[in-house]
Amino acid sequence: MTQTGEAGGGLSTLSGPVEIVGVGLLGTSVALACASAGLDVLLSDSVASHVRTATGLGAGRRRKPGDSPQLVVVAVPPAHLGEVITRALADSPDAVVTDVGSVKASPLAYVREHGPGDVHRYVGSHPMAGSERSGPLAATATLFEGRPWAVTPHPEADPTAIALVDELATVCGAVPLTLSPEDHDQAVARTSHVPHLMAALVAGRLAVAPEGHLGLSGQGVRDVTRVAAGDPGLYGQIVAGNARAVTDLLTEVRGQLDEMIAAVGTGDAAALDVLLKEGQAGTRAIPGKHGRPQAAQASVYVTVPDEPGNLARLFADAGESGVNIEDVRIDHDPGRPVGVMELIVAADAADRMQAVLESRGWVAHR
Protein backbone atom coordinates (compact mmCIF):
# COMPACT_ATOMS: atom_id res chain seq x y z
CA MET A 1 0.00 0.00 0.00
CA THR A 2 1.34 3.42 -0.90
CA GLN A 3 0.20 6.92 -0.12
CA THR A 4 0.07 9.23 -3.10
CA GLY A 5 1.40 12.74 -3.08
CA GLU A 6 0.14 15.50 -5.32
CA ALA A 7 -2.85 14.06 -7.15
CA GLY A 8 -1.53 12.40 -10.25
CA GLY A 9 1.77 14.24 -10.25
CA GLY A 10 0.33 16.83 -12.65
CA LEU A 11 -0.98 14.26 -15.15
CA SER A 12 -4.53 15.62 -14.92
CA THR A 13 -6.64 18.30 -13.33
CA LEU A 14 -10.13 17.72 -12.02
CA SER A 15 -12.13 20.54 -13.55
CA GLY A 16 -15.57 18.92 -13.91
CA PRO A 17 -18.29 18.34 -14.51
CA VAL A 18 -18.41 15.50 -11.99
CA GLU A 19 -21.43 13.23 -12.22
CA ILE A 20 -22.62 11.35 -9.12
CA VAL A 21 -24.69 8.25 -9.90
CA GLY A 22 -26.53 7.34 -6.71
CA VAL A 23 -27.14 10.21 -4.31
CA GLY A 24 -27.37 8.47 -0.95
CA LEU A 25 -25.08 9.20 1.98
CA LEU A 26 -21.75 8.64 0.19
CA GLY A 27 -22.77 9.96 -3.21
CA THR A 28 -24.29 13.15 -1.84
CA SER A 29 -21.31 13.68 0.46
CA VAL A 30 -18.95 13.44 -2.54
CA ALA A 31 -21.23 15.82 -4.43
CA LEU A 32 -21.27 18.35 -1.59
CA ALA A 33 -17.48 18.25 -1.29
CA CYS A 34 -17.03 18.74 -5.04
CA ALA A 35 -19.60 21.55 -5.12
CA SER A 36 -17.82 23.23 -2.21
CA ALA A 37 -14.63 23.10 -4.30
CA GLY A 38 -16.40 25.00 -7.08
CA LEU A 39 -16.93 22.05 -9.44
CA ASP A 40 -20.03 21.62 -11.59
CA VAL A 41 -21.79 18.55 -10.15
CA LEU A 42 -24.38 16.47 -12.01
CA LEU A 43 -26.74 14.23 -10.04
CA SER A 44 -28.37 10.99 -11.16
CA ASP A 45 -30.40 8.46 -9.17
CA SER A 46 -33.14 5.94 -9.87
CA VAL A 47 -35.08 7.53 -6.97
CA ALA A 48 -36.18 10.96 -8.15
CA SER A 49 -36.77 12.24 -4.62
CA HIS A 50 -33.11 11.65 -3.76
CA VAL A 51 -32.04 13.94 -6.59
CA ARG A 52 -34.53 16.61 -5.48
CA THR A 53 -33.27 16.39 -1.91
CA ALA A 54 -29.59 16.51 -2.89
CA THR A 55 -30.24 19.44 -5.23
CA GLY A 56 -31.98 21.28 -2.40
CA LEU A 57 -28.91 20.72 -0.22
CA GLY A 58 -26.72 22.44 -2.80
CA ALA A 59 -24.99 19.24 -3.88
CA GLY A 60 -25.42 19.91 -7.61
CA ARG A 61 -27.98 19.75 -10.39
CA ARG A 62 -29.80 17.04 -12.29
CA ARG A 63 -27.89 15.76 -15.32
CA LYS A 64 -29.38 17.02 -18.58
CA PRO A 65 -29.03 15.78 -22.18
CA GLY A 66 -25.86 17.21 -23.62
CA ASP A 67 -23.95 17.24 -20.35
CA SER A 68 -20.52 15.64 -20.73
CA PRO A 69 -18.91 14.76 -17.39
CA GLN A 70 -15.15 14.56 -16.98
CA LEU A 71 -15.52 12.11 -14.08
CA VAL A 72 -18.40 9.82 -13.10
CA VAL A 73 -18.61 8.58 -9.51
CA VAL A 74 -20.83 5.51 -9.04
CA ALA A 75 -22.27 5.29 -5.53
CA VAL A 76 -24.86 2.51 -5.68
CA PRO A 77 -25.36 -0.63 -3.54
CA PRO A 78 -22.67 -3.30 -3.96
CA ALA A 79 -24.89 -5.77 -5.83
CA HIS A 80 -25.35 -3.28 -8.69
CA LEU A 81 -21.85 -1.82 -8.97
CA GLY A 82 -20.59 -3.73 -11.99
CA GLU A 83 -23.73 -3.13 -14.04
CA VAL A 84 -23.94 0.60 -13.24
CA ILE A 85 -20.21 1.19 -13.79
CA THR A 86 -20.40 -0.49 -17.21
CA ARG A 87 -23.46 1.60 -18.13
CA ALA A 88 -21.70 4.80 -17.03
CA LEU A 89 -18.71 3.97 -19.24
CA ALA A 90 -21.08 3.51 -22.20
CA ASP A 91 -23.19 6.61 -21.47
CA SER A 92 -20.17 8.90 -20.96
CA PRO A 93 -17.58 7.75 -23.54
CA ASP A 94 -15.15 10.59 -22.76
CA ALA A 95 -15.29 10.28 -18.98
CA VAL A 96 -13.22 8.52 -16.36
CA VAL A 97 -15.42 6.36 -14.13
CA THR A 98 -14.80 5.44 -10.52
CA ASP A 99 -16.96 4.08 -7.73
CA VAL A 100 -17.06 4.28 -3.94
CA GLY A 101 -18.04 0.67 -3.26
CA SER A 102 -16.47 -1.42 -0.53
CA VAL A 103 -15.38 -4.28 -2.83
CA LYS A 104 -13.16 -3.82 -5.84
CA ALA A 105 -12.23 -7.06 -7.61
CA SER A 106 -15.76 -8.16 -8.54
CA PRO A 107 -16.84 -4.85 -10.19
CA LEU A 108 -13.58 -4.84 -12.17
CA ALA A 109 -14.22 -8.41 -13.35
CA TYR A 110 -17.72 -7.40 -14.47
CA VAL A 111 -16.37 -4.44 -16.46
CA ARG A 112 -13.71 -6.61 -18.10
CA GLU A 113 -16.41 -9.05 -19.21
CA HIS A 114 -19.12 -6.62 -20.28
CA GLY A 115 -17.17 -3.51 -21.33
CA PRO A 116 -13.61 -4.60 -22.09
CA GLY A 117 -12.99 -1.76 -24.54
CA ASP A 118 -13.63 0.80 -21.79
CA VAL A 119 -11.82 -0.81 -18.86
CA HIS A 120 -8.86 1.61 -19.19
CA ARG A 121 -11.19 4.46 -18.17
CA TYR A 122 -12.34 2.72 -14.99
CA VAL A 123 -10.41 3.00 -11.71
CA GLY A 124 -12.10 1.77 -8.56
CA SER A 125 -11.90 3.57 -5.23
CA HIS A 126 -13.22 3.24 -1.69
CA PRO A 127 -13.41 6.05 0.89
CA MET A 128 -13.05 4.63 4.40
CA ALA A 129 -15.82 6.73 5.89
CA GLY A 130 -19.50 6.36 6.58
CA SER A 131 -22.26 6.74 9.12
CA GLU A 132 -24.97 4.68 10.77
CA ARG A 133 -27.43 6.99 8.96
CA SER A 134 -28.30 6.74 5.27
CA GLY A 135 -29.78 8.82 2.46
CA PRO A 136 -28.92 12.29 1.14
CA LEU A 137 -30.12 14.08 4.28
CA ALA A 138 -27.35 12.32 6.24
CA ALA A 139 -24.66 13.62 3.88
CA THR A 140 -22.01 16.20 4.70
CA ALA A 141 -19.22 17.80 2.70
CA THR A 142 -16.76 16.95 5.48
CA LEU A 143 -17.54 13.20 5.73
CA PHE A 144 -14.17 12.23 4.19
CA GLU A 145 -12.01 14.86 5.87
CA GLY A 146 -8.72 13.26 6.93
CA ARG A 147 -9.96 9.75 6.14
CA PRO A 148 -8.11 7.17 4.01
CA TRP A 149 -9.48 6.80 0.47
CA ALA A 150 -8.29 3.65 -1.29
CA VAL A 151 -7.57 4.08 -5.02
CA THR A 152 -7.30 0.69 -6.73
CA PRO A 153 -5.79 0.89 -10.22
CA HIS A 154 -5.49 -2.23 -12.38
CA PRO A 155 -2.86 -2.98 -15.05
CA GLU A 156 -4.98 -1.69 -17.95
CA ALA A 157 -5.88 1.61 -16.25
CA ASP A 158 -4.89 4.83 -17.98
CA PRO A 159 -2.44 6.86 -15.81
CA THR A 160 -4.53 9.98 -16.37
CA ALA A 161 -7.60 8.16 -15.07
CA ILE A 162 -5.71 7.07 -11.95
CA ALA A 163 -4.55 10.64 -11.38
CA LEU A 164 -8.09 11.99 -11.71
CA VAL A 165 -9.41 9.59 -9.06
CA ASP A 166 -6.51 10.49 -6.75
CA GLU A 167 -7.47 14.12 -7.21
CA LEU A 168 -11.13 13.41 -6.40
CA ALA A 169 -10.07 11.94 -3.05
CA THR A 170 -7.93 14.99 -2.32
CA VAL A 171 -10.73 17.41 -3.28
CA CYS A 172 -12.99 15.58 -0.81
CA GLY A 173 -10.42 16.13 1.95
CA ALA A 174 -9.33 12.49 2.12
CA VAL A 175 -5.88 10.90 1.99
CA PRO A 176 -5.55 8.74 -1.16
CA LEU A 177 -3.86 5.36 -0.70
CA THR A 178 -2.98 3.07 -3.60
CA LEU A 179 -3.69 -0.69 -3.47
CA SER A 180 -4.41 -3.31 -6.09
CA PRO A 181 -8.08 -4.39 -6.22
CA GLU A 182 -7.13 -7.80 -4.79
CA ASP A 183 -5.07 -6.34 -1.93
CA HIS A 184 -7.89 -3.95 -1.13
CA ASP A 185 -10.44 -6.75 -0.86
CA GLN A 186 -8.17 -8.83 1.36
CA ALA A 187 -7.50 -5.80 3.56
CA VAL A 188 -11.16 -4.90 4.08
CA ALA A 189 -12.04 -8.55 4.68
CA ARG A 190 -9.50 -8.55 7.54
CA THR A 191 -10.24 -5.11 8.99
CA SER A 192 -13.97 -4.70 8.32
CA HIS A 193 -15.96 -7.58 6.84
CA VAL A 194 -14.90 -10.47 9.10
CA PRO A 195 -14.95 -8.28 12.26
CA HIS A 196 -18.53 -7.30 11.34
CA LEU A 197 -19.54 -10.94 10.96
CA MET A 198 -17.89 -11.86 14.27
CA ALA A 199 -19.70 -8.97 15.97
CA ALA A 200 -22.99 -10.21 14.51
CA LEU A 201 -22.45 -13.67 15.97
CA VAL A 202 -21.64 -12.31 19.43
CA ALA A 203 -24.57 -9.87 19.32
CA GLY A 204 -26.88 -12.67 18.22
CA ARG A 205 -26.18 -14.49 21.50
CA LEU A 206 -27.39 -11.39 23.33
CA ALA A 207 -30.71 -11.40 21.48
CA VAL A 208 -31.64 -14.75 23.04
CA ALA A 209 -30.18 -14.07 26.52
CA PRO A 210 -32.41 -14.03 29.61
CA GLU A 211 -33.27 -10.44 30.53
CA GLY A 212 -31.41 -10.60 33.82
CA HIS A 213 -28.15 -11.45 32.07
CA LEU A 214 -28.18 -8.25 30.04
CA GLY A 215 -28.13 -6.15 33.19
CA LEU A 216 -24.44 -7.02 33.44
CA SER A 217 -23.67 -5.48 30.04
CA GLY A 218 -20.72 -3.11 30.11
CA GLN A 219 -18.62 -1.13 27.68
CA GLY A 220 -16.72 -4.24 26.58
CA VAL A 221 -19.72 -5.95 25.05
CA ARG A 222 -20.82 -2.66 23.48
CA ASP A 223 -17.40 -2.24 21.87
CA VAL A 224 -17.43 -5.78 20.49
CA THR A 225 -20.98 -5.65 19.09
CA ARG A 226 -21.38 -2.02 17.97
CA VAL A 227 -20.93 -2.61 14.24
CA ALA A 228 -23.47 -5.45 14.28
CA ALA A 229 -26.19 -2.79 14.38
CA GLY A 230 -25.53 -1.98 10.69
CA ASP A 231 -28.03 -2.64 7.89
CA PRO A 232 -28.10 -6.45 7.33
CA GLY A 233 -29.23 -6.10 3.71
CA LEU A 234 -26.39 -3.78 2.78
CA TYR A 235 -23.77 -5.75 4.66
CA GLY A 236 -24.98 -8.99 3.13
CA GLN A 237 -24.31 -7.49 -0.31
CA ILE A 238 -20.87 -6.30 0.76
CA VAL A 239 -19.83 -9.70 2.10
CA ALA A 240 -21.24 -11.53 -0.93
CA GLY A 241 -19.19 -9.28 -3.20
CA ASN A 242 -16.01 -10.18 -1.33
CA ALA A 243 -16.85 -13.83 -0.74
CA ARG A 244 -13.46 -15.38 -1.50
CA ALA A 245 -11.37 -13.21 0.82
CA VAL A 246 -14.01 -13.36 3.57
CA THR A 247 -14.36 -17.14 3.30
CA ASP A 248 -10.60 -17.64 3.55
CA LEU A 249 -10.41 -15.60 6.75
CA LEU A 250 -13.53 -17.18 8.26
CA THR A 251 -11.92 -20.57 7.70
CA GLU A 252 -8.84 -19.42 9.61
CA VAL A 253 -11.03 -18.11 12.44
CA ARG A 254 -12.99 -21.38 12.54
CA GLY A 255 -9.75 -23.30 13.01
CA GLN A 256 -8.72 -21.06 15.88
CA LEU A 257 -12.20 -21.25 17.40
CA ASP A 258 -11.92 -25.04 17.45
CA GLU A 259 -8.54 -24.68 19.18
CA MET A 260 -10.06 -22.30 21.73
CA ILE A 261 -13.00 -24.61 22.45
CA ALA A 262 -10.59 -27.49 23.02
CA ALA A 263 -8.31 -25.39 25.25
CA VAL A 264 -11.17 -24.11 27.40
CA GLY A 265 -12.90 -27.49 27.56
CA THR A 266 -9.79 -29.38 28.64
CA GLY A 267 -8.35 -26.66 30.83
CA ASP A 268 -5.27 -26.32 28.63
CA ALA A 269 -4.07 -22.98 30.02
CA ALA A 270 -0.95 -22.92 27.85
CA ALA A 271 -2.87 -23.31 24.59
CA LEU A 272 -5.42 -20.69 25.65
CA ASP A 273 -2.61 -18.31 26.59
CA VAL A 274 -1.15 -18.59 23.08
CA LEU A 275 -4.48 -17.62 21.50
CA LEU A 276 -5.09 -14.75 23.92
CA LYS A 277 -1.59 -13.38 23.39
CA GLU A 278 -2.07 -13.51 19.62
CA GLY A 279 -5.22 -11.43 20.06
CA GLN A 280 -3.34 -8.98 22.26
CA ALA A 281 -0.64 -8.67 19.61
CA GLY A 282 -3.32 -7.93 17.00
CA THR A 283 -4.67 -4.99 18.98
CA ARG A 284 -1.15 -3.58 19.17
CA ALA A 285 -0.69 -3.95 15.41
CA ILE A 286 -3.51 -1.50 14.68
CA PRO A 287 -1.95 1.86 13.74
CA GLY A 288 -2.10 4.50 16.46
CA LYS A 289 -3.07 8.14 16.24
CA HIS A 290 -2.16 9.84 12.95
CA GLY A 291 -0.93 6.47 11.63
CA ARG A 292 1.99 6.29 14.05
CA PRO A 293 2.87 3.09 15.94
CA GLN A 294 0.81 2.64 19.06
CA ALA A 295 2.36 4.11 22.20
CA ALA A 296 1.85 2.75 25.71
CA GLN A 297 -1.42 4.10 27.10
CA ALA A 298 -3.40 3.86 30.33
CA SER A 299 -6.96 4.66 31.36
CA VAL A 300 -8.23 6.96 34.08
CA TYR A 301 -11.87 6.29 35.00
CA VAL A 302 -13.96 9.19 36.27
CA THR A 303 -17.53 9.08 37.65
CA VAL A 304 -19.58 11.83 36.00
CA PRO A 305 -23.17 12.75 37.01
CA ASP A 306 -25.45 12.66 33.96
CA GLU A 307 -26.30 16.37 34.03
CA PRO A 308 -25.70 19.27 31.60
CA GLY A 309 -22.32 20.93 31.87
CA ASN A 310 -20.47 18.16 33.69
CA LEU A 311 -18.54 16.93 30.67
CA ALA A 312 -17.37 20.46 29.89
CA ARG A 313 -16.25 20.88 33.51
CA LEU A 314 -14.42 17.53 33.46
CA PHE A 315 -12.51 18.38 30.28
CA ALA A 316 -11.61 21.81 31.62
CA ASP A 317 -10.24 20.28 34.82
CA ALA A 318 -8.41 17.57 32.84
CA GLY A 319 -6.79 20.30 30.76
CA GLU A 320 -5.28 21.76 33.91
CA SER A 321 -3.15 18.61 34.23
CA GLY A 322 -1.30 19.43 31.02
CA VAL A 323 -1.92 15.86 29.86
CA ASN A 324 -3.22 15.23 26.34
CA ILE A 325 -6.30 12.99 26.18
CA GLU A 326 -5.71 10.41 23.44
CA ASP A 327 -9.21 8.92 23.41
CA VAL A 328 -12.48 8.95 25.36
CA ARG A 329 -15.19 6.38 26.11
CA ILE A 330 -18.34 6.60 28.22
CA ASP A 331 -20.02 3.69 29.99
CA HIS A 332 -23.41 4.52 31.53
CA ASP A 333 -24.33 3.03 34.90
CA PRO A 334 -27.56 1.04 34.39
CA GLY A 335 -28.70 1.63 37.98
CA ARG A 336 -27.79 5.28 38.60
CA PRO A 337 -27.93 8.57 36.65
CA VAL A 338 -24.16 8.64 36.25
CA GLY A 339 -21.64 7.62 33.65
CA VAL A 340 -18.09 6.40 33.92
CA MET A 341 -15.81 8.37 31.63
CA GLU A 342 -12.68 6.54 30.48
CA LEU A 343 -9.93 9.01 29.67
CA ILE A 344 -7.13 7.32 27.73
CA VAL A 345 -3.75 9.03 28.12
CA ALA A 346 -0.05 8.24 27.76
CA ALA A 347 0.88 5.59 30.31
CA ASP A 348 3.47 7.77 32.05
CA ALA A 349 0.95 10.62 32.51
CA ALA A 350 -2.01 8.71 33.97
CA ASP A 351 -1.06 9.23 37.64
CA ARG A 352 -0.76 12.98 37.09
CA MET A 353 -4.16 13.11 35.40
CA GLN A 354 -5.79 11.16 38.23
CA ALA A 355 -4.21 13.34 40.93
CA VAL A 356 -5.33 16.60 39.30
CA LEU A 357 -8.89 15.37 38.84
CA GLU A 358 -9.14 14.13 42.41
CA SER A 359 -7.85 17.48 43.67
CA ARG A 360 -10.80 19.10 41.91
CA GLY A 361 -13.38 16.86 43.50
CA TRP A 362 -13.80 14.13 40.90
CA VAL A 363 -14.04 10.46 41.86
CA ALA A 364 -11.31 8.87 39.74
CA HIS A 365 -9.46 5.59 39.67
CA ARG A 366 -7.06 3.60 37.50
Side-chain angles (χ1 to χ4, degrees):
M1 176 166 35
T2 58
Q3 179 172 318
T4 64
E6 294 284 326
L11 284 172
S12 70
T13 300
L14 182 59
S15 56
V18 176
E19 180 181 7
I20 311 297
V21 181
V23 285
L25 166 67
L26 291 181
T28 305
S29 295
V30 173
L32 287 167
C34 289
S36 296
L39 296 171
D40 184 17
V41 181
L42 317 175
L43 305 175
S44 303
D45 198 294
S46 59
V47 180
S49 62
H50 283 185
V51 176
R52 288 196 298 270
T53 300
T55 300
L57 294 171
R61 60 181 177 85
R62 185 183 300 274
R63 178 173 176 170
K64 300 179 296 186
D67 282 329
S68 180
Q70 179 193 24
L71 176 66
V72 179
V73 182
V74 175
V76 301
H80 305 289
L81 278 173
E83 176 187 354
V84 177
I85 292 166
T86 303
R87 187 187 314 138
L89 288 164
D91 291 346
S92 302
D94 296 323
V96 169
V97 176
T98 189
D99 70 288
V100 292
S102 55
V103 293
K104 300 273 68 88
S106 57
L108 174 60
Y110 189 100
V111 173
R112 281 176 169 153
E113 180 179 355
H114 295 89
D118 298 315
V119 71
H120 64 285
R121 292 190 287 117
Y122 167 63
V123 177
S125 72
H126 179 204
M128 304 303 292
S131 167
E132 70 279 1
R133 301 169 63 206
S134 61
L137 287 174
T140 170
T142 58
L143 182 66
F144 312 107
E145 194 68 36
R147 303 298 301 166
W149 187 310
V151 178
T152 60
H154 52 89
E156 304 99 308
D158 189 301
T160 302
I162 300 169
L164 207 62
V165 178
D166 277 345
E167 194 168 353
L168 171 70
T170 302
V171 164
C172 290
V175 180
L177 304 173
T178 301
L179 298 90
S180 72
E182 295 76 18
D183 281 346
H184 167 275
D185 287 358
Q186 291 172 2
V188 293
R190 190 178 302 275
T191 62
S192 177
H193 301 169
V194 168
H196 188 110
L197 295 175
M198 295 297 99
L201 291 179
V202 174
R205 298 307 87 214
L206 302 178
V208 297
E211 184 175 350
H213 292 189
L214 299 181
L216 298 180
S217 300
Q219 191 59 41
V221 73
R222 293 187 181 95
D223 287 344
V224 169
T225 61
R226 180 183 60 82
V227 296
D231 178 3
L234 175 61
Y235 227 82
Q237 290 186 40
I238 291 171
V239 170
N242 199 19
R244 180 172 181 176
V246 170
T247 300
D248 287 347
L249 276 173
L250 285 176
T251 302
E252 291 180 19
V253 172
R254 181 176 62 186
Q256 289 198 307
L257 182 58
D258 287 340
E259 293 177 22
M260 185 168 285
I261 291 170
V264 173
T266 62
D268 187 344
L272 181 59
D273 187 62
V274 169
L275 292 168
L276 293 175
K277 284 182 175 176
E278 186 172 349
Q280 185 183 56
T283 65
R284 292 172 177 166
I286 300 170
K289 190 167 68 172
H290 309 311
R292 296 193 296 261
Q294 288 204 31
Q297 296 179 337
S299 296
V300 178
Y301 299 90
V302 188
T303 301
V304 183
D306 192 6
E307 299 168 354
N310 278 326
L311 285 180
R313 185 167 65 88
L314 172 61
F315 285 127
D317 288 345
E320 293 298 316
S321 70
V323 175
N324 188 52
I325 297 174
E326 304 294 335
D327 204 351
V328 174
R329 301 188 185 98
I330 302 177
D331 190 10
H332 297 283
D333 190 321
R336 299 179 299 159
V338 300
V340 176
M341 177 77 74
E342 181 184 2
L343 304 180
I344 301 169
V345 300
D348 59 2
D351 288 340
R352 182 162 80 254
M353 172 71 81
Q354 180 180 350
V356 169
L357 292 177
E358 288 177 339
S359 73
R360 284 163 170 74
W362 295 98
V363 177
H365 69 277
R366 293 281 307 280

